[in-house]
Amino acid sequence: MAISIVPRPAHVTHYGGRYDETLCPLTYRADPSLPAEGYRITLRADGGEAAYADDGGRFYAAQTLRQLRAPDGTYPCVCIEDAPRYPYRAFMVDSARHMQSVAQLKTLIEAAALLKFNRFHWHLTDDQGWRMESQSFPRLNEISAWRACDGFLNDDGVRYGGCYTREEIRDIVAFCAERQITVIPEIDMPGHMVALLAAYPDLSCTGRVTAVSTHAGIHKDVLCVGKDATFQMMTRLLDEVCDLFPGEWVHIGGDEVPPQRWQNCEDCRARMRRLGVTDPAALHSDFINRIAAYLKAKGRRAVTWNDTLKGGDLDRDVVVCNWMDKTGRCIDRANSGGLVIEEDFFHYYLDYPYGMTPLRKTYGFDPMRAGLTEIGRANVIGVETPIWTEFVRDFKQLCFMCFPRMLAVAERGWTPPQLLNGKDFAARARALLPLLQTIGITAAPPKTWDPRALGRWKGLAQHYCRVLRVAHENRGVEEA
Ligand code: ACM
Ligand code: ZN
């Protein structure tokens, strides 16, 4: 009988019969000959063993056993030899637009660990809120963390916000570490900074940012990168980040930076003259490269969104998340030696409805894009799926959007491509729902996963999805 595990293991041999752990306890044994994060579970009627390559492998053997265990405490007799396809398997949570409680984040992390994700990219700052408690800059906690109302489409007039305390952040980092998950914090700069600028308007080009944003979209006000004070504050903040987050990688954003303010700012123009450039994209690269160099000197590595490739000379060591690249820059980047993470908007953005991004579409996305050379393929280190929360207000809705699509990304990140099969996957995803429920995750019901049978509403639904997509792609810069 086939076993039901997500992500699907690389090799399974069936022996027949049942293994009962209470009769002969399972033993764990290190086996350095196994591939990184790999394990081999051997279960026979007369005994069980889990061999593992490293701490990750040991943990993943236990997660597989958790899924394999029948309600009566027995297991099928099998040999499972397993290791991940990609070393980088991440989920991202936007805690800036809407926050999740520490308990809710832990529930999500627990489910992600069960699915063998090994990175949690935590989007902590944005135009609409600052969520990392700061020791050096208390106005971030007092002003930037709060907006006048929940906002977006809901002007309820009730102040919304808060930030995670340093103890809470350390608690999350430790909780993740126990589950072989490294946290990658994101402080998004130099765009998506309106919340910070509301407390420190001197760091904007105009000096006139007055409020934390309450609406979605791309904001014209960004950090003034012509001022030394901006670099000084960002580096002091990154000192705090490095103090709280022990992982090597730090995400510094770099997405969606409109050039207008820089073009009209004396300080930014002066910096462009000193650099001998006329294109604001080059000013953007210069800022990101300076921040990346600062992190490098501290033994850290910068990660950015692919928008930072526009300037043309992004430091070789900066890792790039490919969320929306219409020009093939990420392919060139990987082919020429830069590390790339695949996070495709049309397949992996889980804040979009199932009508636009059905489960089968997420499952079918191949991160190995056409045009990658052999070197390029080796530099695509894995996959990441974000849940942005402008319109995802509570945890129930977040779980509905993430599950089961997170399972699809987990399987793409782990399972050898020749074993991927959408129908078989959907059946295993269904079988996992009760275990997810015991963790505290209520997934979207199966009838919503692949809304192909919308009957006469199909045309209308497709039209709606096209409008949504075009609206997102052309997300205009605000007029202010
Ligand atoms: C992004 O969605 N702006 C990375
Ligand atoms: Zn400026």
Side-chain angles (χ1 to χ4, degrees):
M1 192 190 69
I3 56 171
S4 185
I5 293 169
V6 181
R8 182 174 176 172
H11 301 280
V12 182
T13 309
H14 294 269
Y15 298 137
R18 305 289 300 173
Y19 161 68
D20 186 340
E21 199 177 10
T22 57
L23 301 179
C24 34
L26 187 118
T27 55
Y28 279 87
R29 173 176 68 84
D31 180 351
S33 73
L34 291 169
E37 300 184 278
Y39 65 89
R40 183 179 49 246
I41 294 171
T42 315
L43 305 176
R44 296 181 187 272
D46 59 354
E49 185 197 72
Y52 56 88
D54 45 29
D55 290 345
R58 187 183 171 119
F59 184 77
Y60 298 134
Q63 300 318 302
T64 291
L65 287 165
R66 205 169 158 193
Q67 292 194 33
L68 208 52
R69 191 175 188 275
D72 67 359
T74 67
Y75 301 79
C77 289
V78 284
C79 177
I80 299 177
E81 283 196 77
D82 204 9
R85 164 77 180 86
Y86 292 104
Y88 185 99
R89 306 176 302 278
F91 62 106
M92 190 216 86
V93 180
D94 172 6
S95 295
R97 274 58 174 265
H98 284 99
M99 279 182 91
Q100 305 75 32
S101 70
V102 169
Q104 288 166 343
L105 286 173
K106 285 183 175 177
T107 299
L108 188 62
I109 291 161
E110 184 66 35
L114 177 71
L115 300 170
K116 304 185 174 82
F117 281 98
N118 63 0
R119 300 285 192 286
F120 168 31
H121 170 182
W122 198 2
H123 186 80
L124 281 164
T125 68
D126 218 300
D127 299 306
Q128 300 84 1
W130 185 274
R131 306 286 171 238
M132 183 189 85
E133 183 192 21
S134 173
Q135 278 183 320
S136 318
F137 303 100
R139 286 169 66 82
L140 290 175
N141 318 329
E142 290 151 15
I143 296 171
S144 306
W146 296 92
R147 57 180 187 256
C149 60
D150 186 337
F152 302 100
L153 301 177
N154 178 26
D155 190 354
D156 55 7
V158 179
R159 219 162 77 103
Y160 179 93
C163 55
Y164 300 102
T165 66
R166 291 169 64 81
E167 295 85 79
E168 285 172 332
I169 289 171
R170 289 212 163 93
D171 184 25
I172 290 285
V173 168
F175 188 84
C176 285
E178 285 162 16
R179 288 158 183 77
Q180 299 299 316
I181 292 174
T182 304
V183 185
I184 300 179
E186 180 182 352
I187 306 295
D188 199 347
M189 62 181 86
H192 289 280
M193 267 286 175
V194 168
L196 176 141
L197 293 174
Y200 297 92
D202 288 352
L203 298 191
S204 68
C205 290
T206 63
R208 289 198 305 268
V209 182
T210 52
V212 176
S213 172
T214 56
H215 62 271
I218 301 173
H219 293 57
K220 266 189 186 164
D221 282 307
V222 299
L223 290 178
C224 175
V225 293
K227 294 190 179 88
D228 289 340
T230 302
F231 185 74
Q232 278 156 17
M233 178 163 176
M234 290 308 115
T235 52
R236 278 183 67 192
L237 273 171
L238 288 170
D239 290 344
E240 291 194 36
V241 169
C242 292
D243 182 38
L244 286 170
F245 296 92
E248 185 192 350
W249 292 11
V250 176
H251 206 301
I252 53 171
D255 58 323
E256 300 179 319
V257 188
Q260 289 88 338
R261 294 287 189 256
W262 292 350
Q263 283 164 327
N264 295 316
C265 167
E266 258 323 301
D267 293 319
C268 288
R269 287 214 297 257
R271 181 149 190 98
M272 286 188 25
R273 279 196 298 278
R274 283 203 299 282
L275 293 169
V277 300
T278 50
D279 184 356
L283 188 61
H284 187 196
S285 290
D286 167 67
F287 177 76
I288 292 290
N289 283 342
R290 280 191 292 150
I291 294 289
Y294 183 80
L295 285 170
K296 204 188 283 190
K298 292 174 73 78
R300 302 300 184 101
R301 190 164 182 173
V303 187
T304 66
W305 299 108
N306 65 272
D307 311 44
T308 56
L309 290 173
K310 277 188 203 144
D313 74 336
L314 185 67
D315 182 277
R316 170 66 41 235
D317 291 334
V318 174
V319 181
V320 172
C321 291
N322 181 8
W323 74 280
M324 176 77 82
D325 175 23
K326 293 181 189 144
T327 54
R329 289 191 184 101
C330 289
I331 292 167
D332 294 344
R333 176 81 174 174
N335 288 347
S336 58
L339 298 187
V340 171
I341 295 156
E342 283 294 336
E343 189 158 1
D344 187 71
F345 169 85
F346 296 106
H347 298 83
Y348 282 4
Y349 269 43
L350 301 186
D351 47 317
Y352 284 86
Y354 285 81
M356 169 176 156
T357 312
L359 179 64
R360 66 173 179 279
K361 185 173 175 187
T362 302
Y363 189 76
F365 175 67
D366 184 356
M368 289 305 176
R369 294 176 189 267
L372 287 168
T373 61
E374 202 176 319
I375 291 173
R377 291 168 71 85
N379 286 323
V380 175
I381 53 168
V383 291
E384 175 170 319
T385 185
I387 179 77
W388 299 98
T389 58
E390 288 96 330
F391 304 104
V392 178
R393 290 209 158 75
D394 60 38
F395 193 62
K396 191 168 161 229
Q397 197 190 353
L398 185 142
C399 291
F400 180 95
M401 301 307 270
C402 288
F403 295 91
R405 289 184 291 192
M406 254 174 83
L407 278 63
V409 181
E411 183 143 313
R412 176 58 78 170
W414 182 278
T415 303
Q418 67 275 16
L419 294 185
L420 298 176
N421 176 311
K423 222 171 146 188
D424 175 71
F425 164 74
R428 283 180 288 110
R430 271 178 191 250
L432 197 60
L433 297 183
L435 182 53
L436 288 170
Q437 193 75 63
T438 64
I439 291 172
I441 301 280
T442 304
K447 67 174 187 304
T448 59
W449 296 357
D450 287 300
R452 75 173 89 208
L454 290 170
R456 65 200 179 91
W457 297 106
K458 189 172 173 186
L460 193 61
Q462 283 173 343
H463 173 73
Y464 168 70
C465 291
R466 267 196 303 276
V467 170
L468 251 182
R469 185 177 310 179
V470 170
H472 186 97
E473 276 193 83
N474 300 331
R475 268 200 290 176
V477 177
E478 59 174 7
E479 284 308 310

